[in-house]
Amino acid sequence: QMKMQLPPRPTLFDFHGVSMTRCFTDNWDNVQNFQARPDDILIATYPKGGTTWVSYILDQLYFGKMCPERQTSVPLHERVPFLEICIPSLPTGKDLADQLPTTPRLIKTHLPVQLVPKSFWEQNCRIVYVARNAKDSAVSYFHFGRMNHVQPEPGDWSTFLQNFIEGKMVFGPWYDHVNGWWKKKQAYSNLHYMFYEDLIEDSGREIDKLCSFLGLSPSPEEREKVITGSKFDNMKQNKMANFSSVPMMDQKVSPFMRKGKVKKGKMKSTQTLYQ
Ligand code: A3P
């Protein structure tokens, strides 16, 4: 197998008050001018909050039955494009989103709420936000930085943790992100705010809540299939969901699907932190 020449690690800079790298700002005007459609669904998270998990659940709920061939032939990150990503020699997330053949289009973003393209608000799109507690987010983000060459060099754990606390992370401080989106929910009713910890506790219950937000009523068999398919071990084995086709990720350093756990002794959900 030919080894791909990996580009140098990107560095952080301040962008509209948020730490970013060029991978998420180089296509900025096109991203900001993205034309959303009223039935688009935006999946928003701080990195490592459960984006892939919820993307997979939504994709299964909408297209698991209708387009079975997509499940085995199109990687999840193409079925649910990452809007702001822009890496040389790969299609941009914005172009992938524009070209999505499905209705609704499922689109992923890590942007803090104030940087979301305005079209999503104008079209009153449904948005699903997922939050995860800070400590597990930080640990997951650290290992992700080690294995993903699109991330800045994470350094050792104590350096990384200090940077995390100071918000010197791609997409800025964890707190501003979860809190900014939480505040938005008070004013924007088409936003469903969920928690990674609640999904761990009872994914069936959380899938039911999602369905009621989206106006979906899967049959008991379909519901069971989504619950089973989205279990950690099943997604980890699923080549279309585990990012194994992405050359910038070195899964020998750390797998993308690493542990998928809530640290012991953690409160039930992060909700109480910023209510
Ligand atoms: P860990 O690194 O703690 O294992 P994102 O998709 O936002 O990048 O988040 C990735 C994190 O979600 C990883 O956390 C990954 O293992 C976890 N994850 C992905 N799918 C999951 C699932 N089906 N069940 C539990 N955790 C999952």
Side-chain angles (χ1 to χ4, degrees):
Q1 205 187 344
M2 230 176 54
K3 205 159 165 27
M4 193 183 135
Q5 192 65 39
L6 290 168
R9 295 265 189 165
T11 48
L12 284 179
F13 54 89
D14 181 89
F15 187 76
H16 301 289
V18 178
S19 290
M20 291 289 251
T21 62
R22 287 186 54 181
C23 313
F24 306 106
T25 59
D26 272 359
N27 199 27
W28 195 248
D29 290 345
N30 290 328
V31 168
Q32 286 302 305
N33 292 326
F34 180 74
Q35 288 302 304
R37 298 181 198 146
D39 52 10
D40 286 346
I41 299 174
L42 187 66
I43 300 165
T45 61
Y46 190 71
K48 313 323 289 175
T51 333
T52 314
W53 196 1
V54 169
S55 300
Y56 185 82
I57 290 171
L58 283 183
D59 184 70
Q60 294 301 302
L61 285 171
Y62 278 104
F63 310 117
K65 205 167 118 199
M66 206 198 303
C67 325
E69 72 292 346
R70 271 170 73 80
Q71 310 306 319
T72 49
S73 60
V74 184
L76 185 61
H77 56 265
E78 288 175 30
R79 283 181 259 153
V80 185
F82 185 1
L83 184 62
E84 58 271 21
I85 202 164
C86 175
I87 295 173
S89 78
L90 292 178
T92 66
K94 194 262 180 192
D95 285 346
L96 286 175
D98 278 337
Q99 290 153 20
L100 269 183
T102 54
T103 305
R105 302 187 295 186
L106 305 175
I107 300 168
K108 153 185 164 179
T109 186
H110 287 317
L111 291 172
V113 69
Q114 73 277 16
L115 297 182
V116 168
K118 64 176 185 319
S119 182
F120 287 101
W121 311 118
E122 288 167 355
Q123 299 296 327
N124 197 31
C125 295
R126 283 166 301 175
I127 304 180
V128 176
Y129 187 85
V130 198
R132 186 181 190 183
N133 75 80
K135 190 171 173 193
D136 291 339
S137 295
V139 172
S140 185
Y141 212 175
F142 171 66
H143 292 289
F144 185 65
R146 293 171 51 232
M147 62 85 82
N148 184 357
H149 288 254
V150 168
Q151 284 294 114
E153 195 63 64
D156 62 14
W157 166 246
S158 63
T159 310
F160 180 86
L161 182 61
Q162 192 55 43
N163 285 333
F164 185 88
I165 290 166
E166 290 171 20
K168 293 181 195 150
M169 293 282 122
V170 191
F171 299 106
W174 170 89
Y175 181 82
D176 290 359
H177 208 282
V178 295
N179 189 47
W181 279 95
W182 181 261
K183 292 218 173 93
K184 185 74 186 180
K185 178 181 126 82
Q186 320 309 322
Y188 185 80
S189 59
N190 256 354
L191 172 56
H192 180 68
Y193 198 108
M194 53 195 296
F195 297 91
Y196 180 94
E197 294 76 18
D198 290 342
L199 264 168
I200 291 279
E201 188 180 75
D202 188 344
S203 64
R205 180 192 65 207
E206 295 305 310
I207 288 171
D208 292 343
K209 284 198 226 160
L210 254 177
C211 287
S212 100
F213 170 68
L214 298 167
L216 296 174
S217 28
S219 69
E221 296 75 42
E222 287 172 76
R223 179 183 179 273
E224 235 11 81
K225 226 179 140 192
V226 176
I227 294 176
T228 308
S230 63
K231 283 193 191 315
F232 181 83
D233 292 333
N234 292 336
M235 279 182 62
K236 192 177 167 80
Q237 301 306 322
N238 182 343
K239 287 197 174 58
M240 292 296 136
N242 64 12
F243 283 89
S244 53
S245 59
V246 175
M248 289 82 67
M249 294 189 188
D250 187 346
Q251 307 230 12
K252 285 195 224 69
V253 173
S254 174
F256 179 85
M257 300 281 300
R258 205 178 49 88
K259 288 194 175 164
K261 292 255 153 61
V262 178
K263 192 99 172 145
K264 278 212 187 67
K266 190 91 345 156
M267 73 186 87
K268 185 179 145 238
S269 81
T270 12
Q271 198 159 347
T272 44
L273 276 177
Y274 39 91
Q275 239 173 1

